[in-house]
Amino acid sequence: MQTNGFFTKGRLIFLGTCALIGVAVTITAYGRLAFAPKQERPVEVPAVERGSITDRNGKPLAVTTTFWHFGVTPSKVKNPAEFAAKVSPIVKTDESEIIRIIENAAAAGKRFVFIKRRLDQETRDILLDCLSQNEYTFVRLDPVPGRIYPENELASQLVGYMGVDGKGLAGIEYSMQSFLSPSPEKDQVVHGKNVYLTIDAGLQYKLQKIAEHALEETQAANIMVLAAYAKTGEILSYISLPSINLNEYSTADNEKVIDRPAMTFFEPGSVFKVFSIAAAYDAGLIRQDELFYCDGIYEKTMSSGEKVKITCLNNHGWQTARGALEVSCNDITAQITERLDTQNFLAKLRGFGFGQRTGVELPGESAGSIKDTTDKFWSARSKMTISIGQEVGVTALQMVQAATYIANGGTGLKLSLINKITDHEGNCEYQHLPEYKNQVVSPATAKYILSCMKTGAENGIGFRANLGDISIGVKTGTAQMPDPKGGYSDTDFLSDCLAFFPAENPEIILYIVIQKSQGVNYASRIVAPVIKECADTIIDYFGISRGKAASFEHSGKIRIKPAANIKMGSSLPDFTGASKRELLPLLSRDDIKFIISGNGQVIRQNPPAGTKITENMTIELYLE
């Protein structure tokens, strides 16, 4: 083979040497990468835009936002102490902790390390100014999808929480994960569905304030308040206190995150007599005018030799079944229940939904507990004690669903927390419709029980819940709570109350539970007044006609004061007291989004006055 003069022996040796050096460098670099410590990679933003969670009117309760992970290249931070001093006040992390993170990462040979995760937009903007002023070029801010909860504690256990991985961890965020954030498709952005809850945020806020006050007044461990449309099964208010600010969910203690209405079951006490009396009346075993005698104690020796003894708080004398409900008589309720066939009685209670999940759209719902005669803890007294709300475990949701049978002529409704689901363009893909269940008692039985509960509010121990101008049916209950050491506690009580209004044809079902109150624990004393206050609020909120509504004359002349000029500088002003008319000029701004709820004057705003104004921020104003 003949070559030209360019490829001399020396040049070939030189080129070969260079090639060998290149290969050696490549192998060395590959080896370093292969055996180097695993580097922390920035979180990639998934190709899914998570849907929002709103109340029934579209008020945002959980919305998607962008958070920022803040990190540095350790080897390029020449003065960690100086850097830490600059950024520490902004990211709210101790200087010593920032220095430690940087120095440990540098010692381990890491090329990148995160200093602080999940910075909000405002913090990120301030941090960028600091980085620019100090010419810090070794910092990286990675965008990650996140959630903000504009209403903080409002319905927190219901709404739930989304984790840093974009998956729901509790509540609706968890149970509706597949709708809110469907699986992403390759090279395509997927839009999640928007979930509209059945609750009304405005009503939820008002009732939650009442519940907070009741919790403080009674010094109780917790309180539950559920309100539902009697004709549709939609839950209008879902309250479980104590609760947690959802924006601080990761730091919450267990007591504040428990979804008590769905997850916890309890002995309801005398409220359960409503369903026991309904079962007996529906079976034709008692007459409305039939009298029973209460001498303060129910005693009976069974054929097996077992003795059953159930006491009353008072000697109630001669009473009908209606009277027994009015005064909450244990003795007469036990006498009535004794007439019922045990299996038929238990079947009727299961027909009301006790001992099984309601199927409401929440995770972790409890089925409660209804004993069977084959249960090892079944005794001669079990049927009678179940009839007065002992030896049975129910959830607050089960009580409300059972109440739908009484409110709708004996036919129940499935409870729901989802009003509708829409796509990202607002097209409705699901709309809640009433889902009727089996008829468990006759319309006549349901009507009779409602009338008994009505007189219970007018003449019975539930009088503190009486509204006066709108009929209401109530039944209170007070039960000793189980002692962890065995038996029943002498100090811990559960107090509850079930209500329907208007009583003749219920529109609203209301159920309230207070546990472990301090001092007074009778439900007729501490829960019935809260029922009244909540019912009044619901009636006024929805404008339900009152029988004795005040009327007055007006001259027809209305004086309108000149609209004030609301000025916005670099921070939010206090909008309190401003009318909707005064707010109109602000709505034309395209750099800020305003959400206005209600009519009248501003009573609350979010974010609060003094918050720095940032581009594309959302400001919510609540008018009343």
Side-chain angles (χ1 to χ4, degrees):
M1 178 177 174
Q2 187 175 6
T3 62
N4 59 34
F6 177 79
F7 290 103
T8 64
K9 183 177 180 180
R11 285 179 173 176
L12 288 173
I13 293 172
F14 175 75
L15 289 172
T17 302
C18 290
L20 288 173
I21 293 173
V23 170
V25 169
T26 301
I27 292 173
T28 302
Y30 177 81
R32 286 177 178 174
L33 288 173
F35 295 101
K38 186 178 180 180
Q39 302 298 316
E40 189 165 11
R41 298 176 63 85
V43 179
E44 296 182 5
V45 182
V48 177
E49 291 185 3
R50 191 177 183 88
S52 297
I53 300 173
T54 76
D55 82 337
R56 65 186 302 112
N57 302 311
K59 181 175 182 57
L61 300 176
V63 295
T64 298
T65 188
T66 300
F67 289 112
W68 304 84
H69 288 351
F70 159 47
V72 299
T73 303
S75 61
K76 294 186 178 180
V77 185
K78 302 305 181 185
N79 191 334
E82 178 190 284
F83 174 70
K86 297 283 188 182
V87 302
S88 171
I90 300 173
V91 300
K92 296 180 174 57
T93 303
D94 290 342
E95 292 182 34
S96 58
E97 177 65 9
I98 294 175
I99 295 171
R100 185 191 66 80
I101 292 172
I102 294 173
E103 291 181 344
N104 286 352
K110 290 187 176 183
R111 293 190 297 172
F112 181 82
V113 66
F114 283 119
I115 302 294
K116 185 72 176 283
R117 297 176 185 267
R118 291 175 62 82
L119 300 181
D120 58 30
Q121 181 71 40
E122 183 179 0
T123 303
R124 178 245 189 190
D125 291 343
I126 296 172
L127 183 60
L128 281 177
D129 289 341
C130 173
L131 301 178
S132 176
Q133 292 172 10
N134 292 277
E135 298 183 350
Y136 291 141
T137 58
F138 47 79
V139 173
R140 192 173 78 207
L141 288 164
D142 293 332
V144 291
R147 275 298 218 204
I148 57 172
Y149 301 94
E151 294 304 306
N152 301 323
E153 291 189 25
L154 199 74
S156 61
Q157 295 94 342
L158 168 59
V159 175
Y161 178 73
M162 189 191 81
V164 295
D165 60 354
K167 295 181 180 180
L169 299 179
I172 294 296
E173 289 276 36
Y174 177 87
S175 63
M176 302 298 288
Q177 169 72 20
S178 61
F179 291 91
L180 293 165
S181 185
S183 299
E185 300 177 10
K186 186 177 180 181
D187 301 325
Q188 184 177 353
V189 175
V190 176
H191 298 277
K193 312 298 183 185
N194 297 317
V195 175
Y196 288 70
L197 302 181
T198 57
I199 67 166
D200 185 300
L203 179 64
Q204 176 86 11
Y205 175 77
K206 289 176 179 291
L207 297 189
Q208 188 158 312
K209 289 300 178 185
I210 295 172
E212 288 171 355
H213 182 257
L215 194 65
E216 183 180 356
E217 286 287 300
T218 59
Q219 292 296 296
N222 56 73
I223 184 172
M224 293 176 266
V225 179
L226 296 181
Y229 273 136
K231 305 303 182 187
T232 68
E234 292 178 287
I235 296 174
L236 290 166
S237 183
Y238 192 96
I239 295 168
S240 178
L241 300 178
S243 60
I244 182 64
N245 182 338
L246 287 172
N247 296 299
E248 301 170 357
Y249 189 93
S250 59
T251 63
D253 59 63
N254 290 336
E255 284 297 306
K256 293 183 177 181
V257 301
I258 297 173
D259 180 5
R260 287 185 172 82
M263 294 181 174
T264 64
F265 61 91
F266 49 85
E267 294 185 355
S270 294
V271 172
F272 208 70
K273 293 172 183 173
V274 167
F275 307 101
S276 302
I277 300 294
Y281 185 82
D282 197 65
L285 299 176
I286 56 174
R287 303 187 314 274
Q288 292 190 27
D289 60 353
E290 186 175 1
L291 291 170
F292 300 84
Y293 186 74
C294 167
D295 59 3
I297 188 168
Y298 171 87
E299 287 185 292
K300 186 169 184 178
T301 301
M302 312 304 287
S303 57
S304 62
E306 288 185 82
K307 292 184 178 181
V308 179
K309 182 178 179 180
I310 297 174
T311 59
C312 264
L313 290 176
N314 292 297
N315 182 333
H316 296 116
W318 291 100
Q319 299 284 346
T320 61
R322 179 188 299 274
L325 285 174
E326 289 179 6
V327 298
S328 199
C329 179
N330 291 341
D331 184 354
I332 293 176
T333 304
Q335 291 179 49
I336 291 172
T337 307
E338 185 184 343
R339 297 183 179 184
L340 279 161
D341 174 79
T342 300
Q343 294 301 336
N344 289 343
F345 175 54
L346 295 176
K348 190 71 75 173
L349 295 181
R350 292 191 178 95
F352 281 121
F354 297 115
Q356 55 197 292
R357 295 175 180 86
T358 66
V360 76
E361 304 91 345
L362 280 172
E365 184 186 5
S366 171
S369 173
I370 286 282
K371 287 183 180 178
D372 192 82
T373 53
T374 59
D375 192 293
K376 66 178 180 179
F377 294 111
W378 184 270
S379 69
R381 61 173 289 139
S382 290
K383 182 171 70 171
M384 276 66 80
T385 53
I386 287 173
S387 74
I388 63 173
Q390 295 177 356
E391 292 192 48
V392 59
V394 306
T395 68
L397 284 171
Q398 285 177 341
M399 291 296 287
V400 174
Q401 182 157 285
T404 66
Y405 289 88
I406 304 299
N408 292 285
T411 301
L413 281 166
K414 185 179 185 299
L415 297 183
S416 179
L417 285 159
I418 306 299
N419 176 259
K420 67 178 179 180
I421 299 174
T422 69
D423 64 18
H424 72 286
E425 294 180 342
N427 300 309
C428 187
E429 297 189 355
Y430 165 82
Q431 179 69 57
H432 173 265
L433 294 173
E435 184 177 331
Y436 294 95
K437 303 175 82 67
N438 294 335
Q439 182 149 357
V440 173
V441 295
S442 69
T445 296
K447 183 178 180 181
Y448 171 64
I449 293 298
L450 284 172
S451 71
C452 291
M453 295 179 70
K454 178 184 176 184
T455 55
E458 294 170 345
N459 309 315
I461 61 174
F463 72 93
R464 291 182 178 85
N466 195 18
L467 300 173
D469 53 2
I470 287 185
S471 62
I472 185 170
V474 300
K475 183 67 192 82
T476 61
T478 306
Q480 286 177 283
M481 297 183 69
D483 190 321
K485 298 179 181 178
Y488 286 91
S489 171
D490 293 327
T491 57
D492 294 340
F493 290 82
L494 179 141
S495 311
D496 59 342
C497 185
L498 178 65
F500 302 85
F501 56 93
E504 296 82 6
N505 186 21
E507 295 181 35
I508 302 293
I509 297 168
L510 182 59
Y511 184 55
I512 298 178
V513 182
I514 296 177
Q515 297 191 64
K516 298 184 181 180
S517 64
Q518 303 300 307
V520 178
N521 47 55
Y522 291 117
S524 59
R525 298 282 299 276
I526 64 172
V527 188
V530 186
I531 285 280
K532 182 182 189 302
E533 189 175 0
C534 287
D536 271 326
T537 299
I538 293 170
I539 290 164
D540 290 340
Y541 187 84
F542 289 120
I544 299 174
S545 177
R546 287 184 176 273
K548 300 177 182 177
S551 61
F552 59 91
E553 293 183 357
H554 194 277
S555 66
K557 296 180 179 180
I558 302 174
R559 180 180 178 84
I560 302 177
K561 66 178 183 178
N565 183 21
I566 300 177
K567 297 181 179 180
M568 292 183 59
S570 60
S571 60
L572 288 182
D574 186 353
F575 291 102
T576 304
S579 67
K580 185 176 287 188
R581 183 165 175 261
E582 292 168 339
L583 298 172
L584 289 178
L586 302 177
L587 303 183
S588 61
R589 295 186 59 155
D590 55 10
D591 60 331
I592 296 176
K593 181 181 179 182
F594 283 88
I595 298 176
I596 299 176
S597 303
N599 294 290
Q601 296 179 318
V602 177
I603 60 168
R604 187 163 60 96
Q605 70 182 70
N606 182 40
T611 302
K612 181 182 177 182
I613 295 176
T614 58
E615 188 175 0
N616 297 322
M617 78 183 301
T618 298
I619 302 169
E620 295 178 317
L621 303 175
Y622 304 89
L623 282 64
E624 191 175 283

